[in-house]
């Protein structure tokens, strides 16, 4: 798909994979609407994207709020030629067993991973369909496929997010929709996992000590390569960084 000249919404864009995706899109000539909760960090990423010539708007706030989702899509239309979105924002809250997890944290995991994806689709899809198509990328996780003690909410939320994406692909086939599995990436989420209570910390420590962590820039580059593939091979499917 052609990226240059299109405007793309990226959630969770203030650091890690989201920031790397934003900078990569800017280098490809895309306009950007960047979202995250931290306004200061978000502006730093926006400045780097602007240094590559991109027009950028920032929308600081909770992407699981209706007004935030609406504003992101409106901002993209203002910049011009809305091309699609990458829903990268995610919350993990690892450590507690399912029955020990606070309700507010459970809600936050589902809101950020699932509800925000629904709201983006709610406002983005009608606009993309009117313009003849576009793309919708949901950054997923292998956690959707197998249970691990200490991340029940995250695993369930990612499974729901994957299902959301697959249904969107079925209902709006003109929009190139897929789940991107980024691999095990050196991010703040990994650090949170290493510091979590309980046995799950050992798993995250093993990722680091085994030397297998990918950089955000590496996995972002793989996503952008997949996204530009004109064959749309992964519509309604999961694409791994290994597929690029």
């Amino acid at each position: 798909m052609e990226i240059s000249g299109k405007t793309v919404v990226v959630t969770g864009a203030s650091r890690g994979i989201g920031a790397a995706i934003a900078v990569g899109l800017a280098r490809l000539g895309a306009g950007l609407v960047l979202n995250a909760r931290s306004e200061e960090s978000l502006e730093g990423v926006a400045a780097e994207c602007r240094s590559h010539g991109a027009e950028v708007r920032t929308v600081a706030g909770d992407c699981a709020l209706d007004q935030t989702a609406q504003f992101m899509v409106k901002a993209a239309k203002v910049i011009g030629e809305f091309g699609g979105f990458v829903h990268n924002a995610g919350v993990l809250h690892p450590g507690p067993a399912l029955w020990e997890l606070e309700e507010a944290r459970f809600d936050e995991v589902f809101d950020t991973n699932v509800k925000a994806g629904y709201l983006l689709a709610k406002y983005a899809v009608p606009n993309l369909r009117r313009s003849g198509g576009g793309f919708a990328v949901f950054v997923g996780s292998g956690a959707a496929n197998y249970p691990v003690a200490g991340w029940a909410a995250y695993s369930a939320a990612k499974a729901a997010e994957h299902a959301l994406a697959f249904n969107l692909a079925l209902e709006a086939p003109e929009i190139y929709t897929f789940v991107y599995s980024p691999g095990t990436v050196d991010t703040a989420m990994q650090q949170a996992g290493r510091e979590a209570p309980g046995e799950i910390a050992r798993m995250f420590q093993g990722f680091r000590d085994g030397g297998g962590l990918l950089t955000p820039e590496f996995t972002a580059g793989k996503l952008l390569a997949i996204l530009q593939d004109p064959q749309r091979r992964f519509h309604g499917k999961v694409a791994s960084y290994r597929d690029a």
Side-chain angles (χ1 to χ4, degrees), residues 27-131:
R27 288 174 173 158
L28 290 173
L32 293 162
V33 176
L34 306 181
N35 162 259
R37 297 186 186 189
S38 172
E39 185 170 4
E40 183 177 355
S41 299
L42 195 61
E43 288 298 337
V45 176
E48 184 174 357
C49 292
R50 292 183 183 111
S51 74
H52 296 289
E55 184 173 354
V56 184
R57 302 287 178 91
T58 59
V59 181
D62 186 350
C63 60
L65 294 177
D66 187 277
Q67 62 187 20
T68 306
Q70 283 196 65
F71 195 78
M72 285 190 283
V73 173
K74 287 179 180 178
K77 292 169 64 179
V78 168
I79 293 176
E81 198 161 357
F82 180 34
F85 65 82
V86 180
H87 179 38
N88 167 74
V91 174
L92 179 57
H93 288 321
L98 176 59
W99 63 89
E100 298 170 333
L101 186 64
E102 296 174 7
E103 183 179 356
R105 290 198 162 196
F106 181 90
D107 288 344
E108 185 181 8
V109 171
F110 264 80
D111 284 351
T112 306
N113 290 286
V114 185
K115 185 179 179 182
Y118 149 71
L119 288 171
L120 269 173
K122 177 180 179 180
Y123 294 108
V125 169
N127 285 282
L128 294 172
R129 295 185 79 181
R130 280 194 293 271
S131 63

Side-chain angles (χ1 to χ4, degrees), residues 135-138 161-180 226 231-239:
F135 60 85
V137 178
F138 296 79
E161 185 180 355
H162 287 207
L164 195 78
F166 299 152
N167 276 273
L168 177 58
L170 180 66
E171 294 168 356
E174 66 272 43
I175 298 171
Y176 185 25
T177 301
F178 62 92
V179 172
Y180 178 61
I226 291 169
Q231 300 302 314
R232 291 170 40 119
R233 293 182 297 141
F234 300 103
H235 181 72
K237 301 176 182 178
V238 175

Side-chain angles (χ1 to χ4, degrees), residues 10 13 21-22 24 64 70 91 116 121 143 148 157 172 184 195 217 237:
V10 183
I21 291 170
Q70 283 196 65
V91 174
V148 173
T184 308
E195 296 173 353
E217 292 74 19
K237 301 176 182 178

